[in-house]
């Protein structure tokens, strides 16, 4: 697609429920990243995919968080048994292949509110 | 480990005044450096990036940034700000190749009319 697409744009869920967030990167972008941005905070790295594998998942805060990517395209971030501290904007980004680091193209994010 | 410090949490300038947003990084090798802007309710947009070569880089919307290796800095500048520049600005550092970027905490820019 023309840009990075994330869905849903907003999600309100009850504490303890599971949620699934979706990211559709730019076509041809082999690298995909998930970040979390709490209100008034900077961006917190969660996980990075190169193709379908995740060389760096060091930012996942707990085993309630998991992510997968299939077909070198769509990625889903799943949060199980959501807690109020999971409330944040979840941002996805993608970048093209190559030896340089071109920086990311970000999606508009999914605003998750846990009540 | 990579890290980025943006010392100013909030800056207020008057419309038409010059602007400089500070960014200091910590990285063991030659860094790839970026500035992003996030307008209210919007995603992040890339303003400019530095890979190598000329240490003064030009970006979109009239912004520029200067890489100073001796000071480990990559400050963002604009000669004359416009009300539409009010936003949150993030500096980021990364390694060669498609790897994660480490972001600073951001500087919120307010423009006085």
């Amino acid at each position: 697609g023309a840009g990075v697409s994330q869905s849903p744009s907003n999600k309100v869920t009850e504490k303890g429920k599971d949620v699934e967030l979706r990211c559709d990167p730019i076509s041809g972008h082999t690298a995909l990243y998930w970040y979390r941005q709490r209100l008034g905070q900077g961006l917190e790295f969660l996980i990075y995919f190169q193709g379908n594998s995740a060389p760096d998942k060091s930012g996942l805060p707990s085993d309630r968080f998991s992510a997968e990517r299939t077909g070198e395209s769509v990625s889903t971030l799943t949060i199980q048994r959501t807690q109020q501290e999971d409330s944040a904007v979840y941002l996805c980004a993608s970048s093209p292949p190559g030896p340089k680091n071109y920086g990311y193209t970000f999606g508009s994010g999914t605003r998750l509110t846990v009540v | 480990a990579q890290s980025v410090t943006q010392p100013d949490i909030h800056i207020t300038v008057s419309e038409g005044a010059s602007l400089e947003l500070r960014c200091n990084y910590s990285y063991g090798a030659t860094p790839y450096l970026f500035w992003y802007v996030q307008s209210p309710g919007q995603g992040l947009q890339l303003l400019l990036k530095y890979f190598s070569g000329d240490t003064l880089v030009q970006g979109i919307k009239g912004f520029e940034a200067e890489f100073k290796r001796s000071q480990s800095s990559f400050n963002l500048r604009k000669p004359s700000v416009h009300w539409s520049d009010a936003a949150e600005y993030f500096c980021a550092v990364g390694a060669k190749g498609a790897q994660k970027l480490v972001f600073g905490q951001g500087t919120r820019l307010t423009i006085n009319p």
Side-chain angles (χ1 to χ4, degrees), chain A residues 4-62:
Chain A
V4 178
S5 177
Q6 291 189 247
S7 61
S9 54
N10 277 286
K11 176 72 176 178
V12 180
T13 189
E14 291 181 354
K15 179 181 172 182
K17 300 282 190 184
D18 297 352
V19 295
E20 194 171 274
L21 313 180
R22 176 188 169 104
C23 173
D24 205 338
I26 292 173
S27 178
H29 280 198
T30 54
L32 185 148
Y33 312 81
W34 283 98
Y35 282 79
R36 178 169 70 178
Q37 186 178 27
R38 290 193 168 116
L39 187 64
Q41 305 279 313
L43 278 75
E44 178 187 5
F45 170 77
L46 297 178
I47 188 169
Y48 148 60
F49 286 94
Q50 182 62 258
N52 294 340
S53 65
D56 189 349
K57 51 179 100 173
S58 62
L60 294 178
S62 75

Side-chain angles (χ1 to χ4, degrees), chain A residues 63-84:
Chain A
D63 59 7
R64 296 188 296 106
F65 287 72
S66 63
E68 65 175 19
R69 188 181 186 194
T70 55
E72 291 199 353
S73 180
V74 172
S75 175
T76 54
L77 176 68
T78 302
I79 309 173
Q80 296 178 309
R81 305 181 301 282
T82 52
Q83 304 294 313
Q84 287 185 329

